[in-house]
């Protein structure tokens, strides 16, 4: 991503003092230093004013500084900034956005050893008595409860009178026959097995090759696969010389037995375009708010732009055996999946608590947990004392995958599914999203959700009533402010110019061109091709890797520090009674 426009903006206030005070006493420098200090005091007074206070705080005028190590979310933004200015940070300042003491994970309840017969826990399945029950806050509470890894809402489409026919293969072809479909070519096998290429042993690696087609062409494949299966069944019945009546649909489990058949899975079909998919997307507005693609309490609705497949709908077209390998959602967000039918899907799910164990299995089998394709060998999980939810999703059933749940899915019959992500703003979801944000950085994997950008947007727009959620978000804002201010100090001390360039409407969040880390507020921009006027954003590390002194790098600042301070100070816990 690169900004399309660029202007030098207003010269930054701090740049008027470009040299850092030296150790030797030089009368000229001393004079410069005193001017600098005088200016700093003036800035402090302005900040007090902008925070909306009526009176001067004498200690603030005197510049009483809380040490950076003692700063916490009870401090004002002015105190945080002053602590940063007073701190001596050598080299890069790097601290977690999370505070371990604020964790809300239900870990302790799960440390006990689980007896073998309890490793197949029943999947929470909800049967709604009436349409009204779907909109009850109890349903939201249940689905987002950290203890519930997965919830199946049986027959939700029926209860809400959703017209799933709009997503049938026939309707999809009629709507957009030439629409792009990504194809995964896979080997059909029983859902609880995963054999290596020569079929000698079970393994975790589950590779598939990728190609592309259209909805019309995949529809043809899906239909002929169904017809073939009918035919095969008929022939096998003839061979067995059975005189039973012909069943209406082929038995998918019969074709399951024949391992080795090559199948095609139509995946990641983008239904984001509201013009092309108007009736389909409109139908989904009948869902309860917390399950909708867009809603007020959804972090993904605060990103400010489309993230394909996350805050937009994706469609999957399947034949029996089509596999979605094991994964957690991007940044551990929740996901919603509706089976359109006519066939069923089989699901496997493991609570977030065990993701590191599964990660270890992936390492052992030399497949990358975050970016690779793997299908857990069930016996491995049971022997590691990991409980696995296993259930069938029938047409009209909605599967709610809670934050961080590891899951893998296989089509039992011929069916289509629609799915998207949601990020309900609660402490558990927020914590897991930030944890994965930081883990992704360690593993050099892009965080599809720009969590720092989203966190500031949450603080600006959402009233938080839950104390745990509030503290976690406030802490992240504080850490973000610390990172920015210390970086600013270092740049200014080194005489580097910082150019303010306000964000424009719909401007995306930025990522480093080299390492894919989110770059928030302070962008290190280079001009890669001066004639084409393309600008490339880097993080500080990658910019310095190219040039330690940042020569040829323009530092853009997208928010005034005062603006961030105001957001931080204004963000407070809202009591439900007020
Ligand atoms: Zn980078």
């Amino acid at each position: 991503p690169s900004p399309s426009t660029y202007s030098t903006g207003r010269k930054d206030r701090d740049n008027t003092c470009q040299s850092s005070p030296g150790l030797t006493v030089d009368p000229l420098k001393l004079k410069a230093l005193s001017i600098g200090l005088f200016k700093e005091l003036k800035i402090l007074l302005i900040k007090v004013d902008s925070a909306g206070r009526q009176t001067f705080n004498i200690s603030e005028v005197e510049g009483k500084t809380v040490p950076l190590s003692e700063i916490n979310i009870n401090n004002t933004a002015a105190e945080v900034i002053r602590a940063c200015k007073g701190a001596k940070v050598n080299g890069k300042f790097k601290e977690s956005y999370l505070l371990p003491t604020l964790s809300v994970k239900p870990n302790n309840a799960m440390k006990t050893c689980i007896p073998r017969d309890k490793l197949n826990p029943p999947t929470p399945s909800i049967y709604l008595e009436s349409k009204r029950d779907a909109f009850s806050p109890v349903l939201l509470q249940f689905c987002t409860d950290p203890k519930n890894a997965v919830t199946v809402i049986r027959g939700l489409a029926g209860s809400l009178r959703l017209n799933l026919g709009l997503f049938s293969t026939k309707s999809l072809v009629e709507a957009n026959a030439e629409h792009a479909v990504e194809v995964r070519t896979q080997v059909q096998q029983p859902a609880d097995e995963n054999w290596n290429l020569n079929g000698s042993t079970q393994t975790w690696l589950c590779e598939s090759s990728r190609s592309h087609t259209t909805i019309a062409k995949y529809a043809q494949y899906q239909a002929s696969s169904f017809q073939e299966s009918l035919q095969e069944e008929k022939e096998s019945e003839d061979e067995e010389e059975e005189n039973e009546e012909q069943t209406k649909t082929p038995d998918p489990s019969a074709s399951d037995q024949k391992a080795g058949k090559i199948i095609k899975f139509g995946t990641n079909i983008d239904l984001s375009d509201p013009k092309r998919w108007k009736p389909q997307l409109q139908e989904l507005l009948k869902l309860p708010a917390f399950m909708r693609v867009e809603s007020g309490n959804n972090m993904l609705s605060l990103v400010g732009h489309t993230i394909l497949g996350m805050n937009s709908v994706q469609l999957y077209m399947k034949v029996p055996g089509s596999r979605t390998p094991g994964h957690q959602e991007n940044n551990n967000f929740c996901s919603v999946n509706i089976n359109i039918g006519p066939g069923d899907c089989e699901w496997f799910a493991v609570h977030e608590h065990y993701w590191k164990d599964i990660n270890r299995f992936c390492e052992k089998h030399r497949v990358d947990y975050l970016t690779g394709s793997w299908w857990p060998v069930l016996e491995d999980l049971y022997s590691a004392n990991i409980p696995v939810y296993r259930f069938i999703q029938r047409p009209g059933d909605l599967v709610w995958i809670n934050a961080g749940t590891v899951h893998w899915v296989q089509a039992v019959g011929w069916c289509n599914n629609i799915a998207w992500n949601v990020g309900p703003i609660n402490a558990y979801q927020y914590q897991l999203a930030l944890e994965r944000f930081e883990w992704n950085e360690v593993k050099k994997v892009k965080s599809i959700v720009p969590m720092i950008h989203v966190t500031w947007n949450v603080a600006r727009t959402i009233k938080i009533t839950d104390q745990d959620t509030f503290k976690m978000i406030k802490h992240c804002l504080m850490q973000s402010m610390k990172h920015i201010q210390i970086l600013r100090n270092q740049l200014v001390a080194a005489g580097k110019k910082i150019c303010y360039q306000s964000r424009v409407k719909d401007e995306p969040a930025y990522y480093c061109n080299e390492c894919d880390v989110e770059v928030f507020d302070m962008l290190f921009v280079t001009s890669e091709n001066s004639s084409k006027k393309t600008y490339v954003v880097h993080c500080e590390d990658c910019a310095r890797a190219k040039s330690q002194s940042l020569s040829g790098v323009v530092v853009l600042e997208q928010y005034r520090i005062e603006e961030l301070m105001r957001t931080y100070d204004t963000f407070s816990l809202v009591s439900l009674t007020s």
Side-chain angles (χ1 to χ4, degrees):
S2 58
S4 53
T5 57
Y6 163 70
S7 71
T8 49
R10 216 171 76 195
K11 203 174 178 194
D12 195 83
R13 186 187 297 138
D14 290 351
N15 284 325
T16 50
C17 177
Q18 292 212 339
S19 58
S20 50
L23 285 171
T24 52
V25 182
D26 175 328
L28 275 175
K29 275 196 178 163
L30 204 61
K31 197 184 168 199
L33 183 64
S34 69
I35 291 167
L37 281 175
F38 177 67
K39 280 189 173 176
E40 291 251 306
L41 280 174
K42 246 168 59 178
I43 291 163
L44 281 177
L45 287 172
I46 291 162
K47 280 172 187 167
V48 169
D49 220 1
S50 73
R53 294 196 213 152
Q54 309 267 310
T55 55
F56 288 123
N57 181 338
I58 291 302
S59 72
E60 285 195 24
V61 175
E62 284 169 353
K64 182 171 163 263
T65 303
V66 182
L68 188 58
S69 59
E70 287 171 26
I71 286 286
N72 61 59
I73 58 170
N74 296 315
N75 291 107
T76 64
E79 287 164 342
V80 175
I81 296 301
R82 207 171 313 127
C84 292
K85 287 184 175 171
K88 286 190 174 57
V89 180
N90 294 318
K92 184 158 164 136
F93 176 74
K94 189 90 184 115
E95 271 184 13
S96 172
Y97 291 98
L98 285 154
L99 197 60
T101 52
L102 296 178
S103 174
V104 293
K105 283 191 180 182
N107 278 358
N108 293 330
M110 287 186 228
K111 283 201 174 119
T112 48
C113 184
I114 303 154
R116 183 88 182 185
D117 59 321
K118 296 264 166 63
L119 290 173
N120 269 309
T123 304
S125 302
I126 295 190
Y127 292 82
L128 298 173
E129 296 270 304
S130 73
K131 182 177 172 177
R132 211 184 50 218
D133 291 349
F135 296 89
S136 147
V138 180
L139 184 62
L140 163 66
Q141 229 172 68
F142 188 90
C143 290
T144 54
D145 186 328
K147 289 194 287 296
N148 296 329
V150 56
T151 304
V152 193
I153 301 153
R154 298 290 181 191
L156 181 72
S159 312
L160 298 178
R161 307 250 161 87
L162 289 186
N163 178 11
L164 295 188
L166 290 166
F167 300 92
S168 71
T169 299
K170 183 171 173 282
S171 302
L172 296 168
V173 172
E174 282 165 9
N176 289 288
E178 296 310 304
H179 202 67
V181 176
E182 186 182 315
V183 175
R184 294 286 175 169
T185 302
Q186 302 173 328
V187 180
Q188 192 182 54
Q189 45 194 325
D192 51 2
E193 295 174 16
N194 189 57
W195 295 90
N196 65 359
L197 280 178
N198 58 28
S200 61
T201 182
Q202 293 218 53
T203 181
W204 278 58
L205 188 67
C206 160
E207 299 252 67
S208 61
S209 59
R210 195 166 74 158
S211 56
H212 295 89
T213 187
T214 63
I215 284 185
K217 283 179 184 157
Y218 189 86
Q220 215 161 39
Y221 164 76
Q222 200 182 32
S224 61
S225 152
F226 181 78
Q227 287 303 326
E228 261 171 45
S229 199
L230 271 180
Q231 191 61 34
E232 278 170 23
E233 193 163 276
K234 190 167 173 286
E235 281 163 11
S236 73
E237 277 175 8
D238 290 348
E239 274 170 31
E240 286 161 23
E241 293 177 333
E242 282 174 2
N243 295 321
E244 285 171 36
E245 238 179 273
Q246 176 74 54
T247 48
K248 276 183 196 132
T249 55
D251 175 13
S253 61
S255 48
D256 264 1
Q257 305 307 318
K258 291 199 319 182
K261 188 176 168 187
I262 302 296
I263 53 163
K264 290 178 193 301
F265 172 19
T267 181
N268 298 342
I269 305 162
D270 167 29
L271 302 197
S272 66
D273 188 341
K275 288 194 280 291
R276 282 187 177 192
W277 304 103
K278 195 178 174 193
Q280 284 80 8
L281 298 178
Q282 241 164 19
E283 196 63 16
L284 299 179
L285 297 176
K286 293 180 182 168
L287 288 166
F290 80 94
M291 295 175 175
R292 275 178 223 154
V293 180
E294 200 181 326
S295 70
N297 201 43
N298 180 355
M299 282 189 268
L300 293 174
S301 298
L302 293 169
V303 173
H305 55 266
T306 303
I307 305 176
L308 288 182
M310 288 201 79
N311 56 16
S312 73
V313 180
Q314 274 186 342
L315 167 79
Y316 302 84
M317 299 175 80
K318 304 175 178 178
V319 298
S322 295
R323 274 188 176 180
T324 302
H327 66 287
Q328 290 169 299
E329 296 298 310
N330 287 322
N331 286 95
N332 283 333
F333 274 63
C334 297
S335 89
V336 170
N337 184 302
I338 300 173
N339 185 3
I340 304 301
D344 297 340
C345 285
E346 181 161 17
W347 287 67
F348 300 85
V350 170
H351 193 278
E352 190 273 344
H353 178 75
Y354 302 97
W355 82 267
K356 281 191 172 164
D357 300 302
I358 296 181
N359 181 45
R360 227 168 287 128
F361 276 115
C362 286
E363 281 172 359
K364 196 177 131 193
H365 288 273
R366 295 171 190 282
V367 48
D368 188 81
Y369 176 80
L370 291 177
T371 60
S373 293
W374 41 270
W375 190 265
V377 173
L378 282 180
E379 266 315 305
D380 287 347
L381 298 181
Y382 294 144
S383 63
N385 220 243
I386 300 171
V388 183
Y389 296 95
R390 183 174 180 174
F391 59 94
I392 296 289
Q393 177 197 30
R394 296 185 189 87
D397 289 351
L398 182 144
V399 173
W400 173 274
I401 288 291
N402 204 3
T405 298
V406 187
H407 57 288
W408 54 107
V409 188
Q410 174 157 325
V412 178
W414 289 261
C415 60
N416 295 341
N417 290 68
I418 48 171
W420 58 91
N421 291 110
V422 281
I425 304 173
N426 62 61
Y428 186 60
Q429 170 68 89
Y430 185 75
Q431 179 183 345
L432 293 191
L434 260 193
E435 281 182 2
R436 184 48 49 89
F437 178 81
E438 298 195 333
W439 180 247
N440 282 342
E441 186 175 340
V442 171
K443 303 303 278 182
K444 306 239 181 294
V445 169
K446 181 174 176 173
S447 275
I448 304 297
V449 185
M451 283 305 296
I452 308 306
H453 171 79
V454 167
T455 300
W456 283 99
N457 283 348
V458 169
R460 269 187 284 269
T461 53
I462 307 285
K463 299 210 181 313
I464 304 290
T465 54
D466 173 69
Q467 180 150 282
D468 292 331
T469 315
F470 167 74
K471 284 182 180 169
M472 246 183 251
I473 294 173
K474 186 96 177 179
H475 184 77
C476 179
L477 296 173
M478 181 187 78
Q479 292 300 86
S480 171
M481 232 170 26
K482 279 161 65 180
H483 278 106
I484 291 164
Q485 186 55 43
I486 290 168
L487 177 54
R488 279 187 116 265
N489 293 348
Q490 292 173 338
L491 290 169
V492 168
K496 185 70 190 172
K497 201 168 87 175
I498 300 169
C499 303
Y500 173 70
Q501 184 179 271
S502 171
R503 286 178 61 83
V504 295
K505 192 179 171 289
D506 296 330
E507 191 171 350
Y510 288 104
Y511 290 91
C512 174
N513 186 59
E514 276 75 36
C515 71
D516 276 338
V517 74
E518 181 188 350
V519 186
F520 179 78
D521 186 35
M522 305 280 271
L523 313 180
F524 294 76
V525 182
T526 57
S527 168
E528 296 297 297
N529 186 333
S530 54
S531 61
K532 282 187 182 169
K533 292 199 175 180
T534 53
Y535 298 97
V536 178
V537 173
H538 315 267
C539 70
E540 186 200 358
D541 286 354
C542 293
R544 287 201 192 276
K546 287 190 168 178
S547 162
Q548 185 55 39
S549 63
L550 298 177
S551 66
V553 178
V554 174
V555 181
L556 291 187
E557 183 180 40
Q558 298 209 289
Y559 299 93
R560 295 257 178 233
I561 197 75
E562 292 82 358
E563 197 182 339
L564 298 177
M565 290 169 74
R566 211 176 306 123
T567 302
Y568 176 85
D569 282 332
T570 311
F571 181 63
S572 48
L573 184 63
V574 176
S575 91
L576 273 172
T577 49
S578 69

